[in-house]
Amino acid sequence: MKRFLSGLSMAFSMFTVFPLPCRWDDGARRMQLACLPVVGLFIGVVWAAACYGCFLLRLPALLSGALLAALPHIMSGCIHLDGLMDTADAVFSWRTLEERLRIMKDSHAGSFAIITLTVTALFSFASAASLDKSVMTLVTLAAIPVVSRIAAAIAMMYIRPLGHSAYAKMERQKNTPYLIALIITLAAACTAVIAFSGAAAILPIAAEVFGMACALAFACPSLKGMSGDIAGWSITIGETCALTALCILRSII
C-alpha cells in the first residue's frame, strides 16, 4: 500500500497540476506508471463533466470547443504538449541522431514544433466544438485519457529508453505484474465504453490506440528509444485522433 500511495502521489504531482503530498521514491517509478490510468480517469471525468456543463450553461459552440480542447492540457500542466513540441522539432529535423537528440532537449521551440502544435490544436478545437452531451460522448471523453495513459505506460515499460530518460534505470524484467494490471484496466475501460454506449463507441478508442501506435512507430526508431517527451507526443496525437473520430462518429449515428 505504501508503494501504491507513493506511485499515485508521484503520478499526480508529475503529470497534473494537482500535486499530492509525497516523498519522491525512484523505486516507485513502476508504480507511478501503473497509476497513470488513475490520473487519466480523473482528467477524463472532469472533461466529461465540463462537456455536460457547457450544454447546461448553453455556452456558444466555439467557446465550448475552446474550453474542452484546452481543459485536458491545462489539467496536465501542458506537460504532454511540451513533449509533442520537443519531439516534433527533433523527428522532423531529419538530421543526424546526435543532432536530433540535442534538438529534443533544447528548450526553444522551433518551426516544426509550432506547426505540429497548430495542426493538433485545430483538429482538437474543431472536434470539441462539434461534441454533444450524449451518453456516448460523455463516456468516451472519460475513457480517452485513461486509454492514452495505459498505452503510454506500457510503452515506457517495454520500449528501450533513451539514455537521458528518468526511467532508463528501471529494470524491464520486473514489469510483468504492472503490465497485467494495465491490460486489465484497459479491458475494463473498453468494456465500460461498450456497456454504456454500444459497440460503435469503441471506434474512437481504436482510433486513439492506432494514432499512438503510429506516433511511437515514427518517433522511437528516429530517436532510437523512448522518453517522457515521446510519451507526451504519442498521448497528444492519440487523444486528438480519438476526439476527431468521436466527432465523426457522432455525425453519422
Side-chain angles (χ1 to χ4, degrees):
M1 180 58 71
K2 181 179 179 181
R3 182 61 58 87
F4 171 76
L5 292 176
S6 293
L8 182 64
S9 60
M10 287 166 61
F12 267 89
S13 296
M14 186 169 184
F15 299 112
T16 75
V17 293
F18 306 99
L20 297 179
C22 71
R23 181 175 298 174
W24 200 265
D25 180 6
D26 283 335
R29 286 197 179 275
R30 267 181 289 268
M31 184 59 74
Q32 179 192 27
L33 292 176
C35 288
L36 283 180
V38 182
V39 173
L41 181 61
F42 174 72
I43 292 174
V45 169
V46 174
W47 201 12
C51 180
Y52 189 73
C54 287
F55 282 92
L56 287 182
L57 296 173
R58 298 183 179 181
L59 295 182
L62 294 181
L63 180 58
S64 297
L67 172 64
L68 295 176
L71 184 60
H73 301 300
I74 293 172
M75 293 182 68
S76 64
C78 296
I79 188 171
H80 304 310
L81 284 182
D82 178 69
L84 174 79
M85 297 176 72
D86 287 343
T87 304
D89 263 343
V91 298
F92 291 133
S93 70
W94 303 108
R95 300 186 183 181
T96 64
L97 176 60
E98 292 74 15
E99 188 67 9
R100 289 196 295 269
L101 293 176
R102 184 197 66 77
I103 292 171
M104 190 176 189
K105 292 185 286 185
D106 192 338
S107 60
H108 297 88
S111 57
F112 292 116
I114 302 301
I115 292 168
T116 304
L117 177 64
T118 301
V119 171
T120 303
L122 283 173
F123 274 91
S124 296
F125 169 67
S127 300
S130 304
L131 294 178
D132 56 26
K133 59 178 176 54
S134 66
V135 172
M136 177 184 289
T137 295
L138 300 180
V139 171
T140 305
L141 285 180
I144 286 172
V146 177
V147 174
S148 65
R149 282 152 182 81
I150 291 173
I154 293 174
M156 290 297 298
M157 287 181 179
Y158 285 97
I159 299 177
R160 186 180 71 84
L162 294 177
H164 67 265
S165 171
Y167 299 89
K169 296 181 180 179
M170 195 170 64
E171 298 180 55
R172 310 288 136 179
Q173 66 270 20
K174 295 183 179 181
N175 291 333
T176 302
Y178 300 95
L179 174 65
I180 294 172
L182 288 168
I183 291 175
I184 291 173
T185 305
L186 176 60
C190 292
T191 301
V193 169
I194 294 172
F196 285 102
S197 307
I202 204 65
L203 294 177
I205 302 301
E208 177 178 29
V209 174
F210 179 75
M212 292 190 70
C214 290
L216 291 171
F218 181 69
C220 291
S222 175
L223 297 167
K224 305 301 181 186
M226 182 70 184
S227 71
D229 280 337
I230 298 175
W233 147 276
S234 67
I235 286 173
T236 305
I237 291 175
E239 291 184 350
T240 302
C241 289
L243 198 58
T244 303
L246 176 60
C247 173
I248 295 171
L249 181 64
R250 293 302 301 156
S251 70
I252 61 178
I253 63 172

